[in-house]
Amino acid sequence: MPTKRTTPHRRAIALMSLGHSCVDIYQGAVAALVPFFVSERAYSYAAASGVVLAASLLSSVVQPLFGALTDRWAMPWLLPVSTLVGGAGVALSGVTGSYALTLVVVAVSGIGVAAYHPESARVARLASRGSHTAMSWFSLGGNIGFAAAPLAVAAVIATGGLRASPLLAVPAVAGAALCAATLRVLRAPGAATGPARASRGGGRRDDWPSFLRLSGAIMCRSIVFVGLSAFLSLYVRERVGGGEPAGTAALFVLYVGGAAGTVAGGGLAARYGRIPVVQWSYALTVLAVAGVVLVPGPALYLCVALASAGLYVPFSLHITLGQDYLPRRVGTASGVTLGLTVSVGGLASPLIGGLADATTLRTALAPLIALPALGWLLLRPLHEPTLPEALTGHPHPTEAEAPERA
């Protein structure tokens, strides 16, 4: 039976999930804009992938910095501010007059997204009270944002062209309002954990070797996901035909399958444990990505859906595992697992684009098959960390208890 004490935490997770979706629209929007840059501005594959790189490069550099700062000081004000910055960059990307200015504004958007994730993950973990399921709902919000991005971009840009991109600022305004509402809920008298409280590890030591292995695996996953995000739409047009609608549909399948996979990940982890679920997900991804590259015709969409599930089932589990491997540096762990390692995929996209220009898109995507296999090898020695007692005030709560506290 819910109590007044637990209600604010559930409400906070719901609001944070919605706010997360508004922010991550801008991560998905950059990749969704690539086909329009190619068609309207005649960008080459390499130039278009440079836009993805610009959104990721500064984000990769500053994300650990924001994580380290949140380990020292709680900065809940970053949530609404970073949401607005992330939206402003994408909104301006279609109205800039040069390639260089386009790179600058999408880089600014990347910085906004980078500032949001470490603090939001810290606040969400406290509000979740250690529940894998609650964290999967928080992560689901981001994945819904990814899934909505190609639809939002297509609706706006296909109607008004790139000059209509300022309309893409609307989710940022909504997201900032949701972030402000979340902070009000967590400061309410009925909330036992305010946004300024942070876990200090409960006396546990940081396990850097395990964390670095996990981070390496996430980097492999990131390169695969960003590579597919940036080029899947163009690739499906070549392989299946059907023009722009076929490519947009494939990108939507990639993102919406990820949303379903994220929710499934929390439930599977509660039953089987995080490490086995993450390992099997990477194994599935190897086969699914091979199908995307090699399977002809409409069956390619099924392979995209399976790849999406394999890439996203472990998504929220990456975050909580990283936080539990570094219980004294939760902000840093969040910045790396939710930000830096994810942004690294954008750094590889110009290599994929350059190889595609020199050969074919199919040839350029083929190396992605090997990366989840490498991630699986990195994950094999990992153990299941215990949940920090300082997170909930109770020693190692079970998943059955955690949702009631969330």
Side-chain angles (χ1 to χ4, degrees):
M1 190 77 178
T3 66
K4 291 183 178 180
R5 180 176 177 178
T6 61
T7 298
H9 296 281
R10 291 187 175 133
R11 191 181 308 130
I13 286 293
L15 290 170
M16 291 200 72
S17 179
L18 292 171
H20 197 186
S21 69
C22 293
V23 173
D24 276 8
I25 278 179
Y26 299 110
Q27 285 192 311
V30 175
L33 283 165
V34 164
F36 296 98
F37 287 133
V38 171
S39 60
E40 288 194 32
R41 297 182 178 176
Y43 286 175
S44 66
Y45 289 142
S49 62
V51 176
V52 180
L53 172 64
S56 303
L57 183 59
L58 281 179
S59 179
S60 299
V61 173
V62 303
Q63 193 110 219
L65 172 61
F66 282 112
L69 289 173
T70 61
D71 283 332
R72 292 178 63 89
W73 304 285
M75 295 186 289
W77 56 266
L78 260 182
L79 301 184
V81 171
S82 60
T83 301
L84 292 172
V85 172
V90 167
L92 293 172
S93 65
V95 298
T96 54
S98 71
Y99 181 68
L101 285 175
T102 301
L103 297 182
V104 169
V105 295
V106 298
V108 169
S109 175
I111 292 174
V113 172
Y116 171 84
H117 281 106
E119 181 68 3
S120 67
R122 182 190 70 83
V123 174
R125 190 76 193 277
L126 292 173
S128 74
R129 300 290 194 88
S131 167
H132 302 322
T133 303
M135 283 299 289
S136 73
W137 283 105
F138 166 70
S139 299
L140 171 65
N143 298 336
I144 289 175
F146 266 107
L151 301 180
V153 168
V156 171
I157 307 303
T159 302
L162 287 171
R163 291 287 175 181
S165 65
L167 292 174
L168 295 173
V170 171
V173 176
L178 288 164
C179 289
T182 300
L183 300 180
R184 285 196 298 271
V185 168
L186 290 175
R187 291 192 183 106
T193 303
R197 181 182 170 189
S199 169
R200 295 299 177 189
R204 297 174 64 242
R205 294 183 177 181
D206 293 330
D207 183 354
W208 282 101
S210 294
F211 180 76
L212 293 175
R213 280 185 168 273
L214 175 68
S215 299
I218 302 173
M219 287 182 187
C220 294
R221 180 256 180 211
S222 171
I223 295 171
V224 174
F225 178 74
V226 175
L228 290 179
S229 297
F231 297 105
L232 182 65
S233 179
L234 296 169
Y235 180 65
V236 169
R237 292 188 206 182
E238 291 182 2
R239 294 277 286 170
V240 179
E244 195 172 283
T248 299
L251 206 56
F252 180 71
V253 169
L254 179 69
Y255 292 159
V256 96
T262 301
V263 174
L268 290 170
R271 183 169 184 177
Y272 301 108
R274 289 176 289 182
I275 296 298
V277 170
V278 171
Q279 290 172 338
W280 279 106
S281 297
Y282 276 70
L284 169 65
T285 305
V286 176
L287 300 175
V289 174
V292 171
V293 175
L294 302 174
V295 171
L300 187 150
Y301 286 98
L302 175 60
C303 296
V304 171
L306 292 174
S308 178
L311 289 166
Y312 267 108
V313 161
F315 188 79
S316 66
L317 309 181
H318 290 152
I319 303 168
T320 59
L321 280 168
Q323 291 172 334
D324 291 346
Y325 283 136
L326 298 186
R328 295 179 178 274
R329 294 174 174 83
V330 169
T332 299
S334 302
V336 173
T337 57
L338 194 56
L340 173 62
T341 50
V342 175
S343 301
V344 163
L347 306 182
S349 62
L351 300 178
I352 300 172
L355 182 57
D357 284 332
T359 57
T360 66
L361 260 179
R362 186 180 184 184
T363 301
L365 294 176
L368 300 183
I369 300 171
L371 288 170
L374 175 59
W376 179 79
L377 290 173
L378 288 169
L379 292 166
R380 285 196 67 189
L382 294 188
H383 63 279
E384 182 79 29
T386 54
L387 187 66
E389 182 176 341
L391 188 62
T392 63
H394 299 272
H396 318 313
T398 65
E399 181 67 15
E401 296 170 322
E404 186 64 23
R405 295 183 192 139

